[in-house]
Amino acid sequence: MTQAYAQAQNPLILQFHRLMDAFAKSDDERDFYLDKVEGFILFVDLDKGNEELTALEQELRETQERFCLLPKMTFFETKKFMEGFVNEKVYDIDTKEKLLDVIQSKEARDNFLEFIYDHLTELEKWQQYYHERSRIRIIEWLRNQGVKFVFEEDLELSKKVVEKLKENLFEPRVSKELVTAREAIVTKSKTYYSNEALNPRPKRGRPPKQTQKVEIEPQLTADIYTKVPHAARPFLYLTDSSTVTFSAKYDTEAQLIASLRGSSRAKIDTRLEALSQRLESLQQLSSKLRDAEGDLGSAGEERIIKAVSQGVDVITPTEESKVKGIAKDVLPKKRGRPIKGKVEIQELMEKKRQAGIKQVTPIKSKTKKDEK
């Protein structure tokens, strides 16, 4: 017997990043379900209690037409993802051969990600490729399930309006503002059912001017659901991560990077941080030298630059002391054992003499002149 469910007054507002995350993690040990009435996702977490799992199983059995099981990420599909990226986006022959060998190895998925994160030039290309291919896969599946939807990340509506739409999803009468917003959502929803949604083509014509790419995390609204069955509430999948990994083991990119063997990414970050500190110190030194240019003389800065670059002694002792004073406060201190002063060295030598320790002098090799 088919149950009568409340009818949504506009296409369901789904979060693409959450769906992509659930698609990546859905396998033989984990089940994810999409609700076609309101659009929430359920994760069948086997760590829950037996009573909760039994109640959810009964709910899913009684409402089969409401929930649809997300497809499993099979080994063949995982391998197809990786091979497609290598053949379409990797141009270096050596890198391509190494990646193809990795794909044929055991634990190919994890080894593939480890290789990609060790080669930063391929990382950005991989993330873009994975995002695009996942989008096509999810849109195709939603279309086959007969779900009318829009991705929240694609909407050009304010956060407040989107939350009102979620609150009034089943209300036929709403304000003029929400009526206009519903019309915009319906228009947007039709684009996912076009041929271009599954076969995106590059735009023709003159390419746009290259501008600096600014990474902006999507500002997603709160999760608002009013028709969640009581048995399904403990299993709501409400992850808020906007960065999705290809890994089935780790939930976030930070966990994935921490798991990589060799931690080469951490070494790179450390080197970049040290270089950044060094450049900042040099900038401060340059600005202070400009401020002190009046004290050093009209040609003081030029002579200092010449002295540093060519190793020529063209600055006076007074100028040298001033430059050292400025650099001492700006440049980062050297690490390691501090250099002992003259007084400390003399005290140390005196203690050695009192203790009867003789100073060993190195034997100089005789030259031909000494032999004669």
Side-chain angles (χ1 to χ4, degrees), residues 50-234:
N50 290 331
E51 293 182 3
E52 294 174 323
L53 288 169
T54 303
L56 177 64
E57 184 181 359
Q58 183 178 354
E59 179 68 30
L60 293 174
R61 186 168 55 250
E62 294 175 354
T63 58
Q64 294 181 5
E65 66 279 0
R66 175 174 183 175
F67 297 99
C68 46
L69 178 67
L70 268 65
K72 305 297 183 180
M73 191 74 166
T74 63
F75 172 77
F76 173 77
E77 192 166 12
T78 302
K79 189 176 180 180
K80 190 177 178 181
F81 257 92
M82 296 184 291
E83 288 178 342
F85 167 72
V86 174
N87 294 325
E88 296 177 26
K89 300 296 182 180
V90 179
Y91 308 114
D92 182 71
I93 297 176
D94 293 336
T95 304
K96 181 177 289 189
E97 290 179 353
K98 289 178 183 177
L99 278 172
L100 290 175
D101 290 339
V102 167
I103 294 172
Q104 302 301 326
S105 65
K106 292 183 179 180
E107 298 184 356
R109 193 171 179 176
D110 294 328
N111 292 334
F112 174 84
L113 285 175
E114 183 175 346
F115 187 94
I116 290 293
Y117 274 83
D118 279 343
H119 295 74
L120 301 181
T121 54
E122 307 297 337
L123 178 59
E124 185 176 356
K125 291 192 294 183
W126 159 250
Q127 291 176 337
Q128 183 179 1
Y129 177 85
Y130 178 56
H131 185 280
E132 292 172 353
R133 297 305 303 174
S134 297
R135 182 182 177 91
I136 294 173
R137 180 170 178 253
I138 292 171
I139 290 175
E140 187 176 20
W141 180 77
L142 289 170
R143 285 169 53 161
N144 293 334
Q145 297 297 324
V147 179
K148 294 182 179 179
F149 68 97
V150 292
F151 291 141
E152 185 175 340
E153 293 87 338
D154 297 341
L155 295 178
E156 297 180 355
L157 299 172
S158 66
K159 190 175 180 180
K160 185 177 180 181
V161 171
V162 175
E163 288 181 348
K164 284 184 178 180
L165 285 171
K166 290 182 177 181
E167 291 173 356
N168 299 276
L169 179 63
F170 304 102
E171 296 294 332
R173 294 183 179 181
V174 291
S175 63
K176 291 183 178 180
E177 182 185 27
L178 293 187
V179 170
T180 304
R182 281 180 174 177
E183 292 175 353
I185 286 182
V186 171
T187 304
K188 185 66 179 177
S189 177
K190 293 177 181 178
T191 62
Y192 300 103
Y193 283 82
S194 64
N195 292 330
E196 191 176 354
L198 299 182
N199 299 289
R201 298 176 181 177
K203 295 181 180 180
R204 296 182 178 180
R206 182 179 295 178
K209 293 182 179 180
Q210 293 294 329
T211 56
Q212 187 176 2
K213 186 178 179 181
V214 180
E215 296 290 342
I216 301 176
E217 290 190 4
Q219 298 295 321
L220 302 177
T221 60
D223 295 291
I224 302 173
Y225 304 117
T226 60
K227 305 295 182 183
V228 182
H230 181 74
R233 291 175 185 174

Side-chain angles (χ1 to χ4, degrees), residues 21 98 132 152 169 199 232 246 285 312 339 343 350 352:
D21 187 51
K98 289 178 183 177
E132 292 172 353
E152 185 175 340
L169 179 63
N199 299 289
F246 187 56
L285 176 60
V312 181
I339 300 173
V343 178
E350 182 63 29
K352 285 183 177 181

Side-chain angles (χ1 to χ4, degrees), residues 284-295:
Q284 293 178 10
L285 176 60
S286 178
S287 62
K288 289 197 174 186
L289 284 174
R290 288 196 205 97
D291 296 337
E293 184 179 358
D295 298 333

